[in-house]
Amino acid sequence: MRTSMKRSENKSRYAILGMLTIAPMSGYDLKKFTEKSMNYFWNENYAWIYPTLKQLEQEGLVVSSQEKQEGRPDRHLYTLTEQGRAELRRWLNEPTVFHETPRNEHLLKMFFADQVPLSITIEQMRFWREALQNMLTSLEDLDRQASVVALEQKVPQGRPYRLLALSYGLHMGRAQLVWCEETIAKLEGLP
Amino acid sequence: MRTSMKRSENKSRYAILGMLTIAPMSGYDLKKFTEKSMNYFWNENYAWIYPTLKQLEQEGLVVSSQEKQEGRPDRHLYTLTEQGRAELRRWLNEPTVFHETPRNEHLLKMFFADQVPLSITIEQMRFWREALQNMLTSLEDLDRQASVVALEQKVPQGRPYRLLALSYGLHMGRAQLVWCEETIAKLEGLP
DNA sequence: GCCAACATGTAACCCGTTACATGATTGG
DNA sequence: CCAATCATGTAACGGGTTACATGTTGGC
């Protein structure tokens, strides 16, 4: 575990505090939850979750309780404290600094594609299109279940925040796919 | 400088090799070029460029020459070697692993927005919209110059790869803005 | 009989950023 | 005269990933 974990820059803190507003969870649960419901805009990682949970507990933002299980490791369930909720709200109120350019390796290759034959670039694009298609399909599946999920997760009625977030994913996924298909068509039309 | 720079994972290598296909450049030039022409999908950083250039030189992928200047530090101009071009092509031919979820802090706040008053969320969204608007405007400016730039940069005629990359940025920028505006409208319509 | 899922954790490493160090020239 | 631009670099740090370590249970 790191000697000092700086308070300001670690976003996983807030993701974890946020998820714990839904229900008490273990490190394992938190990972599964991000994978199932937030994977189109967030990811978490055991090697970061477990140390962060300990840190949050030391700061009094969460409390842990152990659930004994037969033949399996104990589940360490973490529950949000009032201080934890306050810290989450503090962050939610802060203005969000516009994020840095995420690097896109696909586009980097497109940008220097004049160094290889056209056929290679078309192949790369088809590969990308397929990946996008799969991603979008799984998002659409999520969307079909989402109204249920959203209600279960105790979001106040008429405040469909999680559906709005999902809708962002759908907008972006579709836009990427549209560009991808346009671009493949253009490339295929070249001499 | 780092003791060992692993060969496989450092994408800046390829960005740099790619830019050097356009013209010999200094570290300073490379940084400026990314800022001017690639900032919507890539970024570079002096503290990474300079060590990487040295590394590339050691590997024989680039060669440097010094340009003496009066009253200013020398310019170290780096030129791509045939080996460098081969290495770039090798990478361009590789299938691109689909990139990990980029974390989106705006969406993370949206996802847990039930913890704060609606007015805060609307404010956050307006702030985001403004940033997106600015980004899109500067991309559209770039687009207006781009046909010239693309020709100057010796891309084979009829292979508008850099314009296609730019078009990706425009598609994404517009889609984000559309979602942002839809979402603000929805939030403003809530009780 | 084997693989996936359950469950928690650490060590090493790598990528990239921020801050520091230096200093001349040009334009407003 | 002050800020921005030109120009190159290093040290320290931080955030996040990969690989390692361990062991049970349930489904196919």
Side-chain angles (χ1 to χ4, degrees):
Chain A
M1 169 118 172
R2 261 156 213 79
T3 45
S4 85
M5 203 181 289
K6 214 179 162 187
R7 198 133 181 259
S8 45
E9 294 290 347
N10 177 355
K11 305 293 165 31
S12 294
R13 294 167 57 83
Y14 305 113
I16 290 173
L17 293 173
M19 287 186 266
L20 295 181
T21 63
I22 296 170
M25 297 192 205
S26 65
Y28 192 83
D29 296 336
L30 289 163
K31 179 77 165 23
K32 293 299 145 199
F33 186 87
T34 54
E35 281 171 4
K36 201 192 66 185
S37 304
M38 302 166 74
N39 63 342
Y40 57 97
F41 71 91
W42 205 258
N43 63 350
E44 286 296 342
N45 179 316
Y46 290 131
W48 199 235
I49 288 175
Y50 288 117
T52 303
L53 280 170
K54 283 195 177 163
Q55 181 68 19
L56 291 172
E57 190 174 21
Q58 267 180 34
E59 294 176 35
L61 305 181
V62 302
V63 287
S64 71
S65 56
Q66 284 193 19
E67 216 181 69
K68 288 258 160 75
Q69 299 192 130
E70 310 267 318
R72 279 194 191 168
D74 296 353
R75 268 165 65 81
H76 299 244
L77 266 184
Y78 290 86
T79 307
L80 196 64
T81 65
E82 268 318 299
Q83 277 164 277
R85 194 178 296 271
E87 169 67 357
L88 177 64
R89 287 194 174 128
R90 191 193 56 68
W91 169 74
L92 285 165
N93 275 281
E94 262 178 13
T96 307
V97 179
F98 197 62
H99 63 288
E100 312 309 310
T101 309
R103 290 175 161 203
N104 187 324
E105 196 180 348
H106 295 282
L107 279 194
L108 189 61
K109 287 191 178 174
M110 173 63 76
F111 205 79
F112 299 120
D114 58 324
Q115 298 299 310
V116 285
L118 178 58
S119 59
I120 296 289
T121 306
I122 291 177
E123 206 184 312
Q124 292 273 1
M125 287 295 306
R126 287 190 183 136
F127 195 67
W128 189 8
R129 176 178 57 184
E130 211 179 318
L132 283 171
Q133 189 76 72
N134 292 336
M135 212 196 58
L136 189 57
T137 302
S138 70
L139 259 193
E140 280 164 348
D141 290 347
L142 189 61
D143 193 36
R144 254 168 256 129
Q145 317 160 16
S147 47
V148 185
V149 176
L151 284 175
E152 280 183 344
Q153 286 164 3
K154 305 183 213 160
V155 175
Q157 287 167 320
R159 302 269 161 101
Y161 296 124
R162 286 170 203 160
L163 291 176
L164 290 172
L166 187 55
S167 145
Y168 178 89
L170 291 168
H171 273 64
M172 290 309 110
R174 285 180 198 133
Q176 281 178 80
L177 202 57
V178 165
W179 174 83
C180 227
E181 271 156 11
E182 275 181 25
T183 299
I184 290 170
K186 281 180 195 165
L187 293 175
E188 285 174 344
L190 291 179
Chain B
M1 167 115 175
R2 263 159 212 76
T3 45
S4 87
M5 203 181 288
K6 214 179 163 186
R7 196 133 183 255
S8 47
E9 295 290 349
N10 178 355
K11 306 291 164 33
S12 293
R13 293 166 58 83
Y14 305 111
I16 290 172
L17 293 175
M19 286 186 269
L20 296 181
T21 63
I22 297 169
M25 299 193 204
S26 66
Y28 191 84
D29 295 336
L30 289 164
K31 179 77 165 21
K32 293 299 146 199
F33 186 85
T34 54
E35 281 170 4
K36 202 191 66 186
S37 304
M38 302 165 74
N39 63 342
Y40 57 98
F41 72 91
W42 205 258
N43 64 349
E44 287 296 340
N45 178 315
Y46 290 130
W48 201 234
I49 288 174
Y50 288 117
T52 302
L53 279 170
K54 284 195 179 167
Q55 181 68 21
L56 291 173
E57 191 174 19
Q58 269 180 32
E59 294 176 35
L61 307 181
V62 302
V63 286
S64 72
S65 56
Q66 283 194 22
E67 214 180 71
K68 288 259 161 75
Q69 300 193 127
E70 311 268 317
R72 281 193 188 167
D74 295 352
R75 270 165 63 81
H76 299 243
L77 268 184
Y78 290 86
T79 307
L80 196 64
T81 64
E82 268 318 298
Q83 277 164 277
R85 193 179 298 268
E87 168 67 358
L88 177 65
R89 287 191 174 132
R90 193 194 55 69
W91 169 76
L92 285 166
N93 274 281
E94 261 178 15
T96 308
V97 180
F98 197 62
H99 63 288
E100 313 307 311
T101 309
R103 290 175 161 202
N104 186 324
E105 195 178 350
H106 294 282
L107 279 194
L108 189 62
K109 287 192 179 175
M110 173 63 76
F111 205 80
F112 298 120
D114 58 323
Q115 299 297 311
V116 286
L118 179 60
S119 58
I120 296 289
T121 306
I122 291 176
E123 208 184 310
Q124 293 273 2
M125 286 295 306
R126 288 190 183 135
F127 195 67
W128 189 8
R129 175 178 57 185
E130 212 179 317
L132 283 172
Q133 189 77 73
N134 292 336
M135 211 197 58
L136 189 57
T137 302
S138 69
L139 259 193
E140 281 163 346
D141 290 348
L142 189 60
D143 193 36
R144 254 167 257 128
Q145 316 162 17
S147 47
V148 185
V149 176
L151 283 177
E152 279 183 342
Q153 286 164 3
K154 308 184 214 158
V155 174
Q157 285 168 321
R159 303 269 161 100
Y161 296 123
R162 285 170 202 157
L163 290 175
L164 290 172
L166 186 55
S167 147
Y168 178 90
L170 292 168
H171 273 65
M172 291 307 110
R174 285 181 198 133
Q176 281 179 80
L177 201 58
V178 164
W179 174 83
C180 225
E181 270 156 10
E182 275 180 25
T183 299
I184 290 169
K186 282 179 193 166
L187 293 174
E188 285 173 345
L190 293 178

